[in-house]
Structure formats: structure tokens, C-alpha cells
Amino acid sequence: MGRLMVFRLIAAFIATVSLSAGAATTTFTGSSGSLSASVSFEILSGGQLRVILANTSTSDVLVPTDVLTGLFFNMAGNPTLTRISAISGGTTFLNGASVSPVGTVVGGEWAYEASLAEYGANSGISSSGLGLFGPPDLFPGSNLSGPTSPAGLQYGLTSAGDNVATGNAAVMGNELTKNSVTILLASLPTGFSLSSISNVTFQYGTALDEGHITVGGGGIKTVPEPSTLLLSGLALVSLSIVRRRRG
């Protein structure tokens, strides 16, 4: 096989990999005392942004300030994205009893807004109003509990270690989600990269002064795209082929 043919085959394979490879993911984590949370951002095809927010604490949720209700993050250029969906990552509970199965659409309980100015961030996602989010900010979906507005603790995230049969009246009297939510947004600007996301803050409770964890620009873990790893391997293979032929 000639050298030109080898490079043509490699180029064709690279094109195929580039089309099929998944996106990179950036994850922010934060903790304070018994509280801990994580959020991953992933850029998908078609200018979509997937956000997975999770209450990763192993402690029991006993009071409203143990419930993760919001996320703030800064996006370079302050783009306004399109709300696509909000899906619960686990079963929801009320008074210790399971209410709905995994995969429940919770868009009618979660909201997104841009052009904010909280914690040095311009974007936010929340299941509670926090004095910032209202009915126009909700994702598509039916109102599942409480008022037709992001408010109170409804559908906030209990911890990974929560005993859903325990908690004070406010916790037990609201339908909560254990323990993550997946948000899908669209209309990312052309060329937007995950490095443009910073100043992440996890919000707890139903008011801004009830507790938060700010990660800022640290605590970031970026997973290389599969295409990057494959392209690196292909480069080594091509060099090896060329060297062998020259030998």
C-alpha cells in the first residue's frame, strides 16, 4: 500500500470519528460541611448544552437548607439560551412515599434565566423563585405541585444519602427529587466552548441568604473528547507507518 493511500485512509477515518465522537464534559464540584454538590456541562450537537445538577451529599436532608434548589454560573458573552427540557434524575418523594418514576418531566417546576447578577454569574437554573425566577422562566412541562411558578422547595434536590422518611414539616410537606436533574438548553453561540463557563454557585433553600457554595473558577475537571484521544492515536500510527516504509 502506498504512502498516499495510507494517508487517505487515515483522513477518511478521522472525518468519520469527528462526526461521531461525543463532546467534552466540564464538571464543577463544591462542598461545605455536610453539603456537597456537582454540576456537569456538556456541549451537544446542534448548539445544545446539557446540564446535570446533583446533590451529592451523603447526609440526611432534614431542613430546607439541606435541599439543593438552584445553580448559578457565568457564561462569557451572556448568551440567552432556549429552554428545551428538565428531567428528574431520580424518583420524586412526598412524605416518604414514592410519587413518580424515574424520567419524570419536571420542566413545569424548574426555571432558567440569563442576564442575572448573582454571585458574579449571569445565568441561573432553579426550582425556587429566589426573588429572581418567575412563570415566564419555566421549562416546558406541566405544573406538578404547588403554584404555577418556581417557588418554595417543590422539586428541589434531596441528597444522595437522604432518608426520604425523615425531615421537618417543610421538607416532608413538599414533593422533592432524589437526587439530580438533567437540564437541556439550546441556541449556544457559534464557537462557544466549555472554558467560557465560570463562577459556579450551588444554591440551597428558598432564599439567597439561606446558604450557598461558590466554586468560582476552580474545581473544574475537563474530560478530553473521544475524538481528541483517537486523533492522537492515529497520528502515532501514521508516523509509525511512515517510519517503517522509510526503514
Side-chain angles (χ1 to χ4, degrees):
M1 183 183 295
R3 188 185 308 171
L4 180 58
M5 180 61 70
V6 169
F7 282 118
R8 283 178 177 173
L9 289 174
I10 290 174
F13 187 68
I14 288 173
T16 302
V17 169
S18 298
L19 289 173
S20 62
T25 300
T26 294
T27 300
F28 293 78
T29 61
S31 62
S32 177
S34 63
L35 303 178
S36 64
S38 72
V39 60
S40 66
F41 297 91
E42 181 179 6
I43 296 177
L44 306 178
S45 61
Q48 295 185 327
L49 179 68
R50 180 161 56 198
V51 183
I52 302 178
L53 177 63
N55 186 340
T56 58
S57 172
T58 58
S59 299
D60 195 9
V61 168
L62 299 174
V63 295
T65 51
D66 294 331
V67 179
L68 181 61
T69 54
L71 171 75
F72 294 91
F73 54 100
N74 196 70
M75 300 186 72
N78 191 26
T80 298
L81 305 183
T82 303
R83 304 170 190 86
I84 302 298
S85 64
I87 306 294
S88 67
T91 304
T92 57
F93 291 87
L94 178 62
N95 293 323
S98 173
V99 176
S100 53
V102 174
T104 298
V105 175
V106 293
E109 302 292 339
W110 282 79
Y112 156 79
E113 182 59 273
S115 299
L116 299 174
E118 298 297 328
Y119 310 122
N122 54 30
S123 303
I125 295 168
S126 181
S127 62
S128 189
L130 303 174
L132 301 171
F133 303 91
D137 305 320
L138 291 169
F139 286 84
S142 303
N143 177 50
L144 303 175
S145 178
T148 55
S149 176
L153 283 182
Q154 291 91 10
Y155 287 83
L157 305 180
T158 69
S159 67
D162 183 31
N163 178 351
V164 297
T166 62
N168 69 6
V171 169
M172 298 300 290
N174 283 285
E175 189 168 348
L176 302 176
T177 300
K178 187 179 180 179
N179 65 308
S180 68
V181 63
T182 297
I183 301 294
L184 189 61
L185 298 162
S187 305
L188 280 175
T190 301
F192 186 88
S193 68
L194 293 174
S195 62
S196 299
I197 298 175
S198 61
N199 290 13
V200 168
T201 293
F202 302 102
Q203 180 67 50
Y204 292 81
T206 58
L208 293 174
D209 61 0
E210 288 189 356
H212 64 273
I213 302 171
T214 297
V215 179
I220 307 173
K221 178 179 68 176
T222 301
V223 180
E225 295 188 37
S227 57
T228 302
L229 299 176
L230 285 169
L231 292 177
S232 298
L234 285 170
L236 293 175
V237 170
S238 61
L239 285 174
S240 175
I241 293 172
V242 171
R243 286 173 179 169
R244 286 179 181 176
R245 292 189 61 82
R246 286 178 177 175

